[in-house]
Amino acid sequence: MHLRKLTIENWKNFQRGEVDIPSHRLFLVGPNASGKSNFLDIFRFLRDLCIQKGGGFRHAVEVRGGISAIRCLAARRYSDIAVEVELAEDEENGAVWNYLLRFNQDKLRRPIIKRESVKRNGGVLLDRPDEEDKKDSLRLTQTALEQITANKDFRPVVSFFQNVNYQHLLPQVIRDPQGFSPNPVENDPFGRDFLQRIHNTPEKTRKSRLEKILSVLKIAAPQLRELEVKRDNFGVPHLVGLFEHWRPKAGKQNETQFSDGTLRLFGLLWTLFEGDGLLVLEEPELSLHSAVVQNLPEMIERINKKRKIKRQIIISTHSEEMLRNEGIGGEEILRLEPGSDGTLLKSPLKDPGETQQLRSGLSVADVVMPKSSPKNPEQMILCFD
């Protein structure tokens, strides 16, 4: 199953937006503070709705600061917030699902559902508020997604949302997870349980992935010769690499001694192998050499092709090098354009001028990056005169 369309109203930077999402890759570009992270957070929000233990609708709203923090500043006062997605099953002639959630807050500032619906091939499976909701308004503090007894007719939608995987691995967190959180954290997108997840992977699968990743890292970091994940005497897992130095004997180093770039590239490649659902990546180019970044789209595509089911990936980026990759088409680009009424979602293929530029042979970087850059950036220097 994959995302096919997203429609939002009053979600953070976006007063309204509708976008078709390609089945395999989408690159998200835009200036600073245009809402790239907030756009990606939509998919994390949908995942959080489906967490029965310690999650659900109320938790998903509260961890984002409440309704007033989620509602677009350009929206009218007390406007509803709405997220609607269209999902298509991957097999030919598979079902098309639609999920809509419209919500607000009550007089006590509690998150409240204004409407929730699920459709399969146009047929209505759920439409709330229903008669039971009208008898007991407290029911509208929970979505049907998070209730096992209520979601049996649309479990494929629930499963899709539950498997959304957002990753923004931070080298400093991987090196010192307890420094950021003394308590264990599961499925942390920033890397607090990253090495533990690798160690928990079945040995045969883990070794196969590490072997493939090592072949890439040897090119980016030529001194690296071996790579493994092993526990220390206290049971803590570590990423251990054997490096060749100018000294006669090679030296082993763990993740605390790896460079940011090496950890970043390792984490990105492992993430591409890990999991099956929608993968959301935030600025994967950070800390990487431009020559590596230029080849990331092709590496992502080749890893994806070898999977039994090709994975859908959404990537935010500021990288001109990445977008110069010849394999990226205009249909894979979503450009964010801030305005007085909120950020607009724009596709190069819906702009005649941009479409013509792409047809003339320009790369997507040539077409979209100038529109995502600050105006007159050289004037920043003058601020210090």
Side-chain angles (χ1 to χ4, degrees), residues 23-24 90 276 301 304-305 307-312:
S23 60
H24 295 142
D90 293 315
D276 297 309
E301 186 66 14
N304 218 357
K305 279 183 178 179
R307 302 175 65 94
K308 292 181 180 178
I309 299 176
K310 205 168 184 182
R311 196 174 190 185
Q312 193 173 24

Side-chain angles (χ1 to χ4, degrees), residues 13-41:
N13 297 66
F14 312 96
Q15 189 171 12
R16 178 169 176 79
E18 181 178 304
V19 58
D20 296 322
I21 301 180
S23 60
H24 295 142
R25 293 187 309 189
L26 179 68
F27 293 88
L28 190 66
V29 298
N32 290 323
S34 61
K36 294 187 296 299
S37 294
N38 288 336
F39 182 88
L40 298 181
D41 191 43

Side-chain angles (χ1 to χ4, degrees), residues 165-184:
N165 185 6
Y166 166 82
Q167 291 294 317
H168 186 46
L169 296 171
L170 302 176
Q172 58 268 40
V173 175
I174 296 173
R175 294 189 187 105
D176 184 22
Q178 289 191 328
F180 288 83
S181 175
N183 299 319

Side-chain angles (χ1 to χ4, degrees), residues 55-97:
F57 172 57
R58 184 167 183 173
H59 173 78
V61 172
E62 288 179 349
V63 296
R64 289 166 174 80
I67 296 295
S68 58
I70 297 175
R71 185 187 287 120
C72 179
L73 294 176
R76 292 184 178 181
R77 198 176 183 188
Y78 307 129
S79 295
D80 292 345
I81 302 163
V83 176
E84 182 175 9
V85 293
E86 182 175 286
L87 307 171
E89 294 182 354
D90 293 315
E91 63 267 22
E92 191 175 352
N93 300 318
V96 174
W97 300 81

Side-chain angles (χ1 to χ4, degrees), residues 136-163:
D136 182 7
S137 60
L138 194 61
R139 286 167 49 92
L140 293 172
T141 62
Q142 289 186 320
T143 66
L145 291 175
E146 61 195 281
Q147 302 174 53
I148 295 175
T149 56
N151 65 30
K152 65 178 181 178
D153 291 333
F154 45 92
R155 293 270 168 83
V157 174
V158 177
S159 179
F160 178 85
F161 292 157
Q162 286 175 331
N163 287 316

Side-chain angles (χ1 to χ4, degrees), residues 256-275:
T256 62
Q257 299 161 299
F258 279 34
S259 71
D260 283 3
T262 303
L263 277 179
R264 276 274 188 179
L265 184 54
F266 173 83
L268 173 62
L269 294 173
W270 182 272
T271 296
L272 293 170
F273 287 112
E274 184 181 51

Side-chain angles (χ1 to χ4, degrees), residues 219-251:
I219 298 172
Q223 292 178 326
L224 183 61
R225 286 293 173 265
E226 297 178 13
L227 195 65
E228 61 181 332
V229 173
K230 58 188 299 185
R231 292 188 184 275
D232 61 19
N233 294 334
F234 300 98
V236 178
H238 292 282
L239 178 65
V240 179
L242 179 65
F243 287 81
E244 289 184 347
H245 297 281
W246 55 269
R247 298 190 298 270
K249 294 183 179 180

